[in-house]
Amino acid sequence: MIEDRKDPEVHYGQSQVLHWSPRVRTFQGSDPVTDEPVSVKVIGIGAAPEVSGYGRLFLDRCEVLRRLDHPTLPHLREAGLTPSGDAYLVFDWIEARRLSDVIPLEADAALQLIGQVLEGLEGVALHNLVHWNVSPE
C-alpha cells in the first residue's frame, strides 16, 4: 500500500534502532493492527520531493517493489512520504544474524549464502530496480 504524509516513527514506534545516519534511519517497529514486528526505513530525499521529482519517482518504484514476490526478499507492506518530505518503506520483519556473527563460514555454506544474495538481487534487477545499499551487515 502506498501512503502519503504519515510519520512512520510515530505510527510504527521504535523498538530497536538498526541504523541511524543523517540521511537514513532504519528501525524495528510494530504493526499497529497486527502487532507483528516490521522493519522501517526512512530516507531523507529533501524537504520538497514534489518539486524535485524524487517523491513521485520513489512512489512509482515502490509500486514495482510492492509487487515483487521472491523467497529471498522481504515483502513491502507500505511506502510513502512523511510530513517532512522524507521517503519511508515498511517491510516484513525477518529474523536474521549479522554476517560478522557467522564468519568464518565453511566453503559450502558461503556459496549457499552468496547464491541466496544473488538470487534476491536478480529478482530485483528483473524488475528494473537496483538495490543501492548492499552490505555484509
Side-chain angles (χ1 to χ4, degrees):
M1 172 188 305
I2 303 297
E3 295 285 333
D4 199 18
R5 304 301 177 192
K6 179 187 289 184
D7 185 342
E9 294 174 44
V10 171
H11 189 76
Y12 292 100
Q14 290 183 25
S15 58
Q16 178 184 3
V17 173
L18 305 171
H19 175 79
W20 205 268
S21 73
R23 301 277 295 160
V24 178
R25 301 179 307 276
T26 308
F27 57 91
Q28 181 183 16
S30 179
D31 186 300
V33 175
T34 65
D35 204 34
E36 295 173 319
V38 294
S39 176
V40 181
K41 183 173 229 173
V42 181
I43 306 162
I45 60 173
E50 298 85 0
V51 175
S52 67
Y54 289 128
R56 182 77 257 150
L57 178 64
F58 169 77
L59 295 175
D60 289 347
R61 294 296 184 262
C62 285
E63 274 301 323
V64 176
L65 186 59
R66 188 180 57 78
R67 292 190 302 265
L68 282 180
D69 183 19
H70 195 278
T72 64
L73 301 173
H75 173 71
L76 177 65
R77 290 179 175 222
E78 181 180 320
L81 301 174
T82 69
S84 65
D86 291 337
Y88 72 90
L89 303 144
V90 180
F91 291 96
D92 287 344
W93 179 258
I94 296 177
E95 269 314 311
R97 295 183 297 171
R98 293 183 177 271
L99 186 58
S100 60
D101 294 338
V102 297
I103 290 178
L105 289 172
E106 296 293 326
D108 288 345
L111 289 173
Q112 183 179 12
L113 179 62
I114 291 168
Q116 290 173 355
V117 170
L118 292 175
E119 286 175 17
L121 291 173
E122 178 185 41
V124 170
L126 290 173
H127 288 84
N128 295 319
L129 296 173
V130 176
H131 191 300
W132 290 96
N133 187 23
V134 178
S135 74
E137 298 302 314

